[in-house]
Amino acid sequence: MHQNQISEKPTTKSAIPQKFVYFFAAGESEGNAGMKNILGGKGANLAEMTSLGIPVPPGFTISTEICTHFYEEGGKLPDWARPNVTAAMAKVEAKIGKKFGDANDPLLVSVRSGARASMPGMMDTILNLGLNDQTVEGLAKSSNNPRFAWDSYRRFIQMYSDVVMNVNSSLLEVTMEDMKEDKHYKLDTDMTVDDLKLLVKKFKELILQMTGRSFPADPWEQLWGAITAVFHSWNTPRAITYRELHSIPVSWGTAVNIQSMVFGNMGEDSATGVAFTRNPSTGDKAFYGEFLINAQGEDVVAGIRTPQPITKIAAAASGMKSLEEALPESYNQLVDIYKKLETHYRDMQDIEFTIERSKLWMLQTRNGKRTAAAALKIACDMIDEKLITEEEAILRLDPSALDQLLHPTLDPKAQKTLLAKGLPASPGGVNGQIVFTSEEAVVWKEQGKKVILVRVETSPEDIAGMIAAQGIFTTRGGMTSHAAVVARGMGKCCVAGCGEVDVDYRTETMKVKGYVLKKGDVITLDGSTGEVYLGEVKTIEPKLDGTFERVMKIADKYRKLKVRTNADTPKDAQTAKTFGAEGIGLCRTEHMFFGADRIDSVREMIIADNKIDREKALAKLLPMQRDDFYNLFKIMDGLPVTIRLLDPPLHEFVPHTDEETKELAERINTDFERLRSKVKALHEFNPMLGHRGCRLAITYPEIYIMQVRAIAEAACMMLAEGKKLSAPEIMIPLIATDKELDILRAQAEQEMKKVQAEKNIKFEYHIGTMIELPRAALTADVIAEHADFFSFGTNDLTQTTLGLSRDDSGRFLGSYVSQGILPKDPFMSIDQVGVGALVKMGVDFGRRTKPNLKIGVCGEHGGDPESIEFFHKVGLDYVSCSPFRVPIARLAAARAALLTKKLHS
Ligand code: PEP
Ligand code: MG
């Protein structure tokens, strides 16, 4: 029918769909659960339930495509869409045997939004539509319940004027409260029919006063207004924020569901409720839900009356009457339906129902949201029940949600005052007193206090303070900044790059939104969301049970990628091994240089005037490095260990204030001025692109030679003691050209051979390189000639490919993401199109030279589920990530393998 009117359509980009209104009623359903994209989740499932023979009030869905047309027409329902809606309404009328707008026995409808992805409470709903001064009398007669009819009418006016006419709902609310107060009523239900009639009159007068428009009496005018409002609600600020948070594209649009009303507020034999087919917080296999007798949908969630538990068992403890006892027949029917739905959808369902005069109606079903613990338990139980396969179970689990199980989280029920939002750099929920220096963090911790270390940014010097603190907060720096990387490695909560907070070291204060917090004040960090709260917010400790291990084992069966860890301390290595790490993929040796027992020797090495002095200082470091490596080898017990030689610019190790320089000069017995000028000479304008990585060894070969010797000697110790040892992997950072690697490899091999000859012990070793500069990826074929393995350093590769400082971009990356310039923070999830193309090129070129070249990734992306999927696709052998992300990576790797398999089947 609409096709005749194509010519009337204003110029739009989208084509008019062949069909865009889908009817559903017993025995006749035009949609199904597979049509979520055009019917939205709610519409698709209403159609599916109807087909399953489950009682669903008849209705129809206007497809999401019309939402696109609505906006293309400047916020107007296209004229060509209207006849299809009118025709569908006629079908509903025929099914129900009532007419929309009939003064004697009117059909009333609900109008609800429903997007592809569930957006709970984000968009609008209107109930009881079709009531006016005439139809309300008809409803009063047909229901034989004038009170119910007039109460429905006043609810409708409140809802409609708020949602469609933008009337401030609190004004109507106040009018009603005033009336109740005058009459000394406590409950809404105390109002008589005459009260309600008067209230309706007052409401209409108020609306006219405020909007200059009469409340629409024509049901069709009401309907068009409601459809328009639902489409508009797709673009309210709260919906936009929600979409951004959950990466829901604006182009998806919402569908509109128009459905005949059923009433849970028609007396003691009527009720309304919501339920889950299993417990959504524990995963227990028990029907779980709440209901209210004689109430309409919104009353259950509004919190005015306390809802009652559905089952007798659940109600027993509360002393309330269950649905099982109050309306046993409806309850038994509901049980049959929930079981049918769960078996059909093969997943835990979140359902809404209404009982009208003992007749049960289903209003919604969808896969229920659940905690991470519940997700694991439900997955395992459903495998055991043979409802789903292991593969399906793995594909359903969200790897990132495992964070909830590994770290304390904020109590969702706790009251909170949000101060600011930064980057969710390392998960967990912690609270503590703020301190502004690492020294103070250490001292306060020793005094038994819980502290949060607050810094503009952290440097390796802060390591002791970071260890002492419960959590770390910075105002500068991105997802791969020092604070983020180190905190993640420790499994410690961190909010980074929170630019809206002003940290003043001088006055030891942090200022935000008019709050001035002093040293010792308490804040709470949520490292999973990046949120910072005032004062202490209660946290919940994680609990791991058998289901976690079981799911991990299942994941291991399906994954192709190996999972290693980034670890440079025995503690990190041990934690990672407990979480299932299959080796160390990156040991950042510079982190070892900051130990109190050696930092001064490192500094002596740095400021040495000549090779002899430098070697003297390095000789002091050698035994300590050897022990470091020996300890790691021992913990990893035969698993591979990749040790990266020194990487950061040397100025990171030297003191930065005159005071500290003075103290150091005294300690190492040198002249202050000489030391100061040496430190000054190390200054670089662009240290990240400066004298760092392999460039250090090109000018000072003895540094890497000492490290290689330490690795070789540690290996010899292991072998001499008969311990298991995998061939040590020596990794050279920041290679840009094959010549660099050629030279440094030769030096390393020479030292390796020397130690082996001295100790008379032979062992295999591998020398490889990081690929973290675009030039290395572009010339990976020639670089591979000198490398036994590659490991992508995607932190630096992202920084250098996008020309985006990993330490400073936190300040503006948020705007890039919110404006859609970048889909995500590229330091968090790999930029597949750009940086990813270089990774792919590096893999392909490298394997062109050496088909079996072992290739991994050790940038932070190695622990990000989406990036892991990409790394699987381009054929990496392993990912390496911080210890607490190892389980996430194991699950993500299994999902990646299964998704690829699904794609090819
Ligand atoms: C990298 O650049 O991705 C990397 C792992 O090295 P770092 O973060 O230590 O620079
Ligand atoms: Mg790097």
Side-chain angles (χ1 to χ4, degrees):
M1 166 198 344
H2 62 272
Q3 308 236 329
N4 305 335
Q5 293 159 33
I6 288 178
S7 56
E8 290 174 31
K9 184 176 138 289
T11 44
T12 62
K13 289 189 202 92
S14 315
I16 297 179
Q18 287 282 326
K19 181 170 178 61
F20 53 86
V21 173
Y22 293 78
F23 182 72
F24 53 86
E28 196 181 347
S29 180
E30 295 179 335
N32 61 54
M35 295 167 71
K36 285 203 175 77
N37 292 3
I38 56 167
L39 298 183
K42 185 178 291 176
N45 285 333
L46 285 171
E48 185 81 9
M49 281 200 288
T50 309
S51 301
L52 290 174
I54 288 170
V56 171
F60 56 94
T61 304
I62 305 175
S63 80
T64 55
E65 299 143 300
I66 302 305
C67 190
T68 310
H69 285 277
F70 176 88
Y71 283 103
E72 284 173 357
E73 302 224 358
K76 196 175 143 286
L77 183 70
D79 290 337
W80 47 261
R82 293 185 182 222
N84 298 48
V85 174
T86 334
M89 188 65 111
K91 280 178 87 173
V92 177
E93 289 175 333
K95 269 280 171 208
I96 300 268
K98 292 180 184 186
K99 284 233 165 285
F100 190 49
D102 182 359
N104 291 318
D105 186 11
L107 165 67
L108 302 184
V109 295
S110 64
V111 180
R112 297 173 205 250
S113 59
R116 245 192 247 192
S118 133
M119 294 171 59
M122 288 302 123
M123 291 182 294
D124 289 328
T125 289
I126 293 157
L127 305 177
N128 304 326
L129 190 138
L131 282 171
N132 58 27
D133 292 353
Q134 284 76 47
T135 56
V136 70
E137 296 293 0
L139 183 65
K141 257 189 267 147
S142 66
S143 65
N144 200 18
N145 190 341
R147 205 198 160 277
F148 149 75
W150 282 92
D151 190 48
S152 301
Y153 192 19
R154 72 94 191 155
R155 285 172 188 258
F156 168 56
I157 296 176
Q158 279 181 288
M159 222 176 207
Y160 191 93
S161 62
D162 173 22
V163 172
V164 185
M165 303 175 81
N166 294 322
V167 171
N168 183 344
S169 57
S170 58
L171 290 170
L172 303 196
E173 200 61 50
V174 167
T175 311
M176 186 163 101
E177 287 310 313
D178 285 351
M179 171 184 271
K180 277 163 61 185
E181 208 177 297
D182 281 352
K183 307 226 167 191
H184 308 291
Y185 294 156
K186 274 208 189 89
L187 302 173
D188 292 359
T189 42
D190 293 338
M191 287 187 289
T192 64
V193 173
D194 286 339
D195 295 332
L196 291 163
K197 282 183 180 172
L198 183 63
L199 202 56
V200 162
K201 190 162 164 278
K202 284 191 176 178
F203 280 177
K204 287 207 240 166
E205 284 165 5
L206 259 173
I207 291 166
L208 180 62
Q209 255 176 38
M210 282 185 286
T211 64
R213 284 186 294 146
S214 301
F215 186 83
D218 174 6
W220 280 101
E221 190 185 340
Q222 293 173 357
L223 183 66
W224 301 127
I227 294 172
T228 302
V230 169
F231 280 140
H232 267 308
S233 70
W234 177 246
N235 261 347
T236 55
R238 67 174 181 208
I240 293 172
T241 309
Y242 187 92
R243 283 206 302 270
E244 276 173 11
L245 208 67
H246 294 87
S247 309
I248 299 173
V250 60
S251 60
W252 282 6
T254 180
V256 184
N257 298 294
I258 294 158
Q259 204 177 3
S260 49
M261 285 292 301
V262 285
F263 297 96
N265 53 343
M266 285 190 110
E268 294 305 304
D269 56 356
S270 301
T272 187
V274 293
F276 291 90
T277 57
R278 302 190 185 210
N279 187 315
S281 54
T282 61
D284 286 345
K285 195 179 177 194
F287 191 37
Y288 174 93
E290 295 177 327
F291 79 105
L292 278 174
I293 289 276
N294 197 11
Q296 231 175 14
E298 74 265 26
D299 300 337
V300 180
V301 277
I304 305 162
R305 285 161 61 189
T306 309
Q308 298 149 249
I310 287 186
T311 60
K312 208 150 86 181
I313 296 179
S318 63
M320 285 194 268
K321 198 166 179 184
S322 65
L323 183 72
E324 195 173 350
E325 293 152 303
L327 298 169
E329 257 178 54
S330 303
Y331 170 78
N332 288 334
Q333 209 188 339
L334 184 64
V335 168
D336 287 345
I337 289 175
Y338 100 70
K339 288 186 176 160
K340 188 171 188 173
L341 283 172
E342 199 183 78
T343 313
H344 180 72
Y345 284 96
R346 302 187 310 125
D347 201 352
M348 186 261 269
Q349 296 295 294
D350 165 358
I351 57 180
E352 284 178 24
F353 64 91
T354 282
I355 300 164
E356 179 181 309
R357 290 180 170 157
S358 302
K359 162 98 181 109
L360 175 69
W361 294 97
M362 300 306 295
L363 301 183
Q364 171 145 315
T365 190
R366 58 185 166 192
N367 294 340
K369 297 231 184 300
R370 61 205 80 177
T371 62
L376 295 188
K377 168 134 179 62
I378 291 172
C380 289
D381 285 353
M382 286 190 170
I383 294 171
D384 294 341
E385 290 160 28
K386 305 220 176 330
L387 205 54
I388 57 174
T389 61
E390 285 183 350
E391 278 105 323
E392 283 172 311
I394 293 293
L395 284 171
R396 268 185 202 174
L397 295 169
D398 171 10
S400 320
L402 293 181
D403 263 345
Q404 272 183 36
L405 298 176
L406 305 172
H407 300 275
T409 45
L410 298 192
D411 182 348
K413 292 193 207 106
Q415 290 279 344
K416 322 189 235 312
T417 308
L418 184 68
L419 285 177
K421 193 163 188 298
L423 296 171
S426 180
V430 291
N431 48 54
Q433 293 178 279
I434 55 173
V435 292
F436 294 85
T437 65
S438 284
E439 291 76 20
E440 208 133 29
V442 173
V443 174
W444 285 38
K445 163 89 193 293
E446 277 163 8
Q447 294 167 355
K449 293 177 186 163
K450 285 200 306 185
V451 298
I452 305 279
L453 178 63
V454 173
R455 302 286 300 163
V456 172
E457 58 190 336
T458 60
S459 77
E461 276 174 285
D462 290 314
I463 202 77
M466 294 173 82
I467 292 170
Q470 300 289 311
I472 296 127
F473 171 89
T474 67
T475 56
R476 205 183 286 158
M479 292 297 286
T480 61
S481 62
H482 178 267
V485 171
V486 174
R488 224 172 279 142
M490 295 175 179
K492 191 155 283 199
C493 169
C494 173
V495 171
C498 189
E500 59 182 309
V501 174
D502 180 23
V503 166
D504 187 340
Y505 289 146
R506 233 172 359 94
T507 54
E508 299 199 297
T509 52
M510 61 186 276
K511 296 189 195 126
V512 61
K513 291 189 185 139
Y515 291 98
V516 181
L517 301 180
K518 295 186 300 299
K519 185 167 73 179
D521 287 347
V522 175
I523 62 169
T524 299
L525 304 180
D526 185 339
S528 311
T529 61
E531 284 162 341
V532 185
Y533 297 98
L534 184 67
E536 179 176 335
V537 179
K538 251 182 74 188
T539 55
I540 307 171
E541 284 305 313
K543 269 195 286 208
L544 281 187
D545 59 18
T547 57
F548 176 80
E549 263 313 305
R550 181 169 171 202
V551 167
M552 285 296 120
K553 289 225 171 73
I554 297 174
D556 292 347
K557 273 208 306 216
Y558 295 98
R559 70 186 159 91
K560 300 272 182 298
L561 279 169
K562 293 258 177 212
V563 177
R564 295 199 193 181
T565 190
N566 295 356
D568 26 73
T569 65
K571 184 165 172 262
D572 289 353
Q574 190 57 61
T575 309
K577 217 170 138 221
T578 322
F579 283 143
E582 296 163 296
I584 292 180
L586 171 65
C587 163
R588 292 179 166 101
T589 50
E590 60 271 20
H591 290 169
M592 297 166 159
F593 281 19
F594 278 93
D597 56 343
R598 59 188 83 174
I599 181 70
D600 284 352
S601 306
V602 173
R603 288 164 171 165
E604 281 181 65
M605 178 268 288
I606 291 170
I607 58 153
D609 285 322
N610 52 55
K611 193 167 175 222
I612 297 185
D613 286 352
R614 202 160 29 251
E615 280 178 342
K616 244 194 243 161
L618 284 167
K620 288 194 217 166
L621 289 171
L622 175 67
M624 299 189 235
Q625 279 269 270
R626 187 178 51 220
D627 281 356
D628 294 336
F629 300 142
Y630 171 76
N631 286 331
L632 287 184
F633 287 151
K634 219 161 62 177
I635 289 171
M636 295 319 284
D637 193 26
L639 293 172
V641 176
T642 308
I643 296 165
R644 182 180 74 185
L645 305 183
L646 193 67
D647 182 31
L650 296 180
H651 84 105
E652 283 201 8
F653 298 95
V654 293
H656 296 292
T657 65
D658 278 355
E659 207 177 34
E660 288 167 343
T661 313
K662 229 176 246 160
E663 283 169 14
L664 178 65
E666 270 168 34
R667 278 203 309 275
I668 62 173
N669 204 14
T670 190
D671 177 58
F672 166 65
E673 284 305 333
R674 175 184 162 264
L675 189 57
R676 190 160 70 161
S677 68
K678 275 271 174 192
V679 167
K680 228 169 141 191
L682 288 172
H683 171 78
E684 290 177 300
F685 283 103
N686 239 331
M688 277 311 225
L689 300 179
H691 197 188
R692 61 168 283 215
C694 65
R695 298 162 197 174
L696 292 169
I698 293 291
T699 48
Y700 308 124
E702 47 287 354
I703 301 179
Y704 279 13
I705 289 173
M706 180 279 285
Q707 291 194 295
V708 171
R709 171 166 282 272
I711 296 167
E713 289 184 0
C716 289
M717 279 165 69
M718 289 289 291
L719 294 170
E721 291 168 16
K723 295 198 166 76
K724 277 198 266 176
L725 178 78
S726 167
E729 296 173 355
I730 297 170
M731 181 154 76
I732 307 197
L734 219 77
I735 287 289
T737 76
D738 57 311
K739 285 269 182 321
E740 290 166 322
L741 190 58
D742 187 15
I743 294 170
L744 296 174
R745 181 183 182 110
Q747 279 172 8
E749 283 194 320
Q750 198 184 358
E751 193 65 15
M752 269 289 175
K753 286 195 186 112
K754 225 160 120 185
V755 177
Q756 296 199 359
E758 279 168 26
K759 308 275 177 204
N760 198 20
I761 298 182
K762 280 237 169 295
F763 58 88
E764 213 187 316
Y765 58 87
H766 304 303
I767 298 178
T769 178
M770 296 198 66
I771 302 287
E772 52 184 343
L773 292 177
R775 195 183 189 284
L778 293 166
T779 59
D781 48 351
V782 279
I783 289 180
E785 281 169 18
H786 311 285
D788 300 330
F789 64 90
F790 280 177
S791 178
F792 283 94
T794 45
N795 303 333
D796 274 311
L797 193 59
T798 299
Q799 168 165 261
T800 48
T801 302
L802 280 97
L804 200 58
S805 160
R806 58 197 265 192
D807 295 311
D808 301 303
S809 52
R811 254 181 269 172
F812 55 87
L813 265 182
S815 310
Y816 267 64
V817 176
S818 66
Q819 291 182 40
I821 301 168
L822 290 172
K824 277 194 169 177
D825 181 333
F827 290 108
M828 203 186 292
S829 194
I830 195 150
D831 157 38
Q832 298 189 11
V833 184
V835 180
L838 281 170
V839 171
K840 182 158 180 2
M841 199 179 279
V843 172
D844 294 346
F845 284 9
R847 293 215 175 116
R848 213 178 276 170
T849 304
K850 287 188 180 161
N852 293 324
L853 187 69
K854 186 159 60 175
I855 307 181
V857 57
C858 60
E860 291 305 297
H861 304 90
D864 169 63
E866 242 179 78
S867 311
I868 290 171
E869 209 181 308
F870 174 79
F871 297 136
H872 170 86
K873 275 193 220 142
V874 297
L876 296 198
D877 295 301
Y878 68 90
V879 296
S880 186
C881 57
S882 55
F884 281 83
R885 279 177 158 190
V886 166
I888 296 173
R890 285 164 75 189
L891 181 54
R895 284 174 53 86
L898 291 171
L899 282 170
T900 315
K901 187 174 146 196
K902 217 167 137 182
L903 208 70
H904 295 298
S905 65

